[in-house]
Amino acid sequence: MSLGDDTGQTRTRLPERGGDPYGGARRGGRSSSRSLVTVVGVVVLLIAAIAFANRGGDDSAAEEGGSGDSPKAAATAPSGKKPVSSKASGIPSGFAHDQQGAESAAANYSVALGSAEMFDKDRRDVILQSIIVPDRVADFEATLDKAYTPEFNKNVGLNDDGTTPKGYTFVSRTSPIGTKVTASSADAATVEVWCSGLLGLAGESSTNPVTNSWFTITMQLEWTNDDWKIVTHSQKDGPTPVPGDKRASSADEMAKAVEEYGGFTYAR
């Protein structure tokens, strides 16, 4: 099936298992300047680490009713297709060889790349080997090894080796809000994933409380070995909604929520 066979529909599955922690110290309508600097520093460093030069791909209209200059968002509704059931190293795999499959792959890969597991060298390498095209894995590994330094770990509240300090819960979770294909061909697709993210350390005396951010991830995917794999990956800030005026939850409430609520498998 070619990428042009788009039904423009979306659905998600319920959580399958426990996920990364969510949490943070109580904060009012405005985060501390230190927390803001930390989050900005993390985003900038990761963007620099994983942004590779674009490669290949045909520029064509991808969304239903869209054009090459301004693709339109597709309606969100059940597609009638079963979500992927197979997994590679805990990451959804076996996506359909069409536009829906590319969007689903990009959404699920965003979750993996934004997880707390990326701070563990061994687990990070497994993730990259599962979602990156084979000939780019070594480049991604080398670049990210240079990014996840002891100093970087300290900036997010972790120990030098990337482990979580005793008595705290580390939170790094990405939640896709929507996807959009901006270019496609039979075996390639460029997909943008609008995301909300959580990052920080949950604990009563944490100086890096969990904060929320909004960003858009762009992935160039290639059909390789009967599945979609990432060729390039980049990230930019926003779109960001106006913050609400809800009371920030306590550290205990946040840590408990993350332990009890698992992540999603995204299927389009």
Side-chain angles (χ1 to χ4, degrees):
M1 180 181 295
S2 70
L3 292 182
D5 297 328
D6 174 29
T7 63
Q9 298 171 325
T10 303
R11 65 175 174 156
T12 61
R13 289 179 62 187
L14 293 176
E16 298 174 351
R17 61 175 184 173
D20 303 325
Y22 179 106
R26 183 185 303 274
R27 63 183 189 276
R30 181 180 179 183
S31 301
S32 67
S33 59
R34 177 169 182 174
S35 297
L36 179 59
V37 170
T38 297
V39 173
V40 172
V42 169
V43 172
V44 171
L45 181 54
L46 287 181
I47 291 175
I50 57 184
F52 288 90
N54 290 330
R55 188 185 83 181
D58 295 334
D59 293 330
S60 62
E63 290 294 331
E64 198 171 39
S67 65
D69 295 330
S70 57
K72 297 180 180 179
T76 300
S79 65
K81 293 187 177 181
K82 293 182 179 180
V84 292
S85 58
S86 59
K87 290 191 174 183
S89 303
I91 302 172
S93 62
F95 299 98
H97 189 189
D98 57 17
Q99 181 172 303
Q100 290 188 28
E103 291 182 89
S104 183
N108 283 285
Y109 294 166
S110 296
V111 174
L113 289 170
S115 70
E117 294 178 317
M118 289 292 288
F119 289 80
D120 178 273
K121 164 64 177 173
D122 292 337
R123 182 56 187 158
R124 182 170 68 247
D125 287 349
V126 170
I127 291 174
L128 296 178
Q129 290 163 12
S130 299
I131 68 177
I132 307 297
V133 292
D135 62 353
R136 298 300 303 275
V137 171
D139 290 339
F140 271 81
E141 288 181 348
T143 303
L144 290 179
D145 285 348
K146 294 178 181 178
Y148 286 90
T149 63
E151 182 179 2
F152 176 72
N153 291 331
K154 283 184 177 180
N155 285 339
V156 297
L158 298 175
N159 296 321
D160 289 357
D161 60 357
T163 58
T164 304
K166 186 176 181 180
Y168 293 91
T169 301
F170 178 59
V171 183
S172 181
R173 181 181 290 190
T174 293
S175 298
I177 305 301
T179 59
K180 178 179 68 175
V181 173
T182 58
S184 65
S185 63
D187 294 322
T190 300
V191 183
E192 293 184 1
V193 187
W194 181 30
C195 304
S196 176
L198 300 173
L199 181 67
L201 203 64
E204 290 298 336
S205 58
S206 174
T207 58
N208 295 280
V210 176
T211 56
N212 173 250
S213 61
W214 293 82
F215 47 92
T216 298
I217 296 173
T218 299
M219 295 184 190
Q220 184 179 346
L221 304 175
E222 183 178 280
W223 186 254
T224 303
N225 297 329
D226 295 324
D227 211 349
W228 291 108
K229 302 294 182 180
I230 298 173
V231 178
T232 66
H233 170 285
S234 62
Q235 180 178 312
K236 64 181 180 181
D237 292 338
T240 303
V242 176
D245 58 357
K246 301 297 183 180
R247 175 189 67 86
S249 298
S250 68
D252 288 342
E253 290 175 312
M254 289 296 158
K256 183 179 180 181
V258 171
E259 292 168 355
E260 293 181 348
Y261 293 93
F264 288 92
T265 294
Y266 294 84
R268 184 169 177 79

